[in-house]
């Protein structure tokens, strides 16, 4: 069994895709042992609770400084003892110690075809705004391992999505989620879970 911890900051539609994938068995041999958010208002926490998954909020606002936050966050992850950490719309720079402790055991979903529209400042809707501004005809999503850089780790899966004439950032974001993110994130977790069994 692959035990995973999912880190979230917002709506949690990718978390939902993982929860659904486990229940309909497109993701096999996998259990979510906990969901952690930095944002107390994240709807993702509600999704976790609805699915009966332990959900925790560790907010930088409740910590005296960044070091305290980093330590509390790392302590919670260690307590949950994951084989894999999944960043599903988690908009926090990970503590260096966490990357070292969990090397090759942290994955992230990014809403573009890396190396386009990624790195510092590229997250959420901003990615799609920039893709439209640049006029690309194809975009997509990427699942990759997390290393010390921003969106620089080894790529696991990518899926392309067409950009259409009248797209707004919101419409494009939704299409990328539906056609790419909610497909390749569960798929990557399943592949890691199957490899873990061997
Ligand atoms: C997703 O589109 C995800 O790819 C993106 O944030 C959104 C979270 O949505 N992540 C990044 O931009 C990371 N750089 P969700 O909370 O509904 O899953």
């Amino acid at each position: 069994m692959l035990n995973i911890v999912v880190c979230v900051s917002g709506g949690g539609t990718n978390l939902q895709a993982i929860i659904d994938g486990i229940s309909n068995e497109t993701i096999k041999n996998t259990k979510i042992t906990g969901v952690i958010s930095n944002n107390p208002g994240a709807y993702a926490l509600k999704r976790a609770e609805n699915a009966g998954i332990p959900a925790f909020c560790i907010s930088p606002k409740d910590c005296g400084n960044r070091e305290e936050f980093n330590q509390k966050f790392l302590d919670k992850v260690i307590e949950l003892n994951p084989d894999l950490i999944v960043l599903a719309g988690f908009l926090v720079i990970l503590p260096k110690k966490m990357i070292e402790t969990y090397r090759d055991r942290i994955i992230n979903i990014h809403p573009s075809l890396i190396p386009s529209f990624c790195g510092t400042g590229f997250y959420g809707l901003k990615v799609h705004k920039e893709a439209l501004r640049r006029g690309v005809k194809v975009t997509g999503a990427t699942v990759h391992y997390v290393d010390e850089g921003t969106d620089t780790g080894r790529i696991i899966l990518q899926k392309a999505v067409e950009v259409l004439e009248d797209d707004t950032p919101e419409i494009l974001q939704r299409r990328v989620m539906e056609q790419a993110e909610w497909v390749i994130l569960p798929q990557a977790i399943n592949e890691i879970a199957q490899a873990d069994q061997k």
Side-chain angles (χ1 to χ4, degrees):
M1 184 67 75
L2 187 82
N3 287 324
I4 66 172
V5 164
V6 184
C7 299
V8 292
S9 297
T13 64
N14 279 284
L15 168 66
Q16 192 66 53
I18 300 168
I19 294 170
D20 294 346
I22 291 172
S23 74
N24 69 27
E25 293 185 27
T26 48
I27 305 175
K28 296 186 185 66
N29 310 308
T30 300
K31 183 176 179 203
I32 305 176
T33 57
V35 168
I36 304 175
S37 178
N38 60 309
N39 170 14
Y43 186 66
L45 287 171
K46 188 93 192 107
R47 291 180 191 270
E49 282 163 23
N50 290 344
I53 299 163
F56 308 91
C57 176
I58 298 166
S59 167
K61 287 179 190 143
D62 300 333
C63 301
N65 55 42
R66 201 70 195 176
E67 266 154 47
E68 189 187 322
F69 168 76
N70 283 349
Q71 195 58 53
K72 278 193 177 159
F73 178 42
L74 184 60
D75 288 349
K76 179 53 77 183
V77 169
I78 289 171
E79 185 190 312
L80 293 167
N81 195 23
D83 302 306
L84 183 75
I85 299 165
V86 179
L87 309 184
F90 189 58
L91 304 179
V92 170
I93 306 282
L94 291 193
K96 216 169 163 247
K97 212 163 134 198
M98 186 158 153
I99 298 169
E100 283 162 8
T101 310
Y102 289 95
R103 192 165 299 284
D104 295 327
R105 289 189 290 155
I106 310 176
I107 66 171
N108 178 50
I109 178 85
H110 183 77
S112 75
L113 293 173
I114 290 174
S116 289
F117 311 116
C118 66
T120 309
F122 284 97
Y123 58 88
L125 211 52
K126 291 189 184 190
V127 175
H128 305 291
K129 274 187 188 152
E130 194 52 26
L132 290 177
R133 196 193 63 78
R134 192 65 185 80
V136 293
K137 303 301 175 210
V138 175
T139 184
T142 304
V143 180
H144 63 91
Y145 284 103
V146 173
D147 65 11
E148 277 77 2
T150 306
D151 303 327
T152 51
R154 187 157 50 90
I155 291 172
I156 304 168
L157 287 174
Q158 290 189 304
K159 193 164 188 289
V161 173
E162 204 180 349
V163 180
L164 301 179
E165 193 89 342
D166 295 327
D167 276 349
T168 62
E170 290 79 9
I171 289 172
L172 183 57
Q173 179 182 51
R174 182 76 192 178
R175 189 180 312 116
V176 168
M177 283 177 157
E178 282 176 357
Q179 294 185 6
E181 296 186 45
W182 303 341
V183 178
I184 62 174
L185 185 56
Q187 192 182 334
I189 295 167
N190 184 53
E191 285 177 12
I192 292 168
Q194 299 325 301
D196 189 59
Q197 277 210 312
K198 284 173 195 153

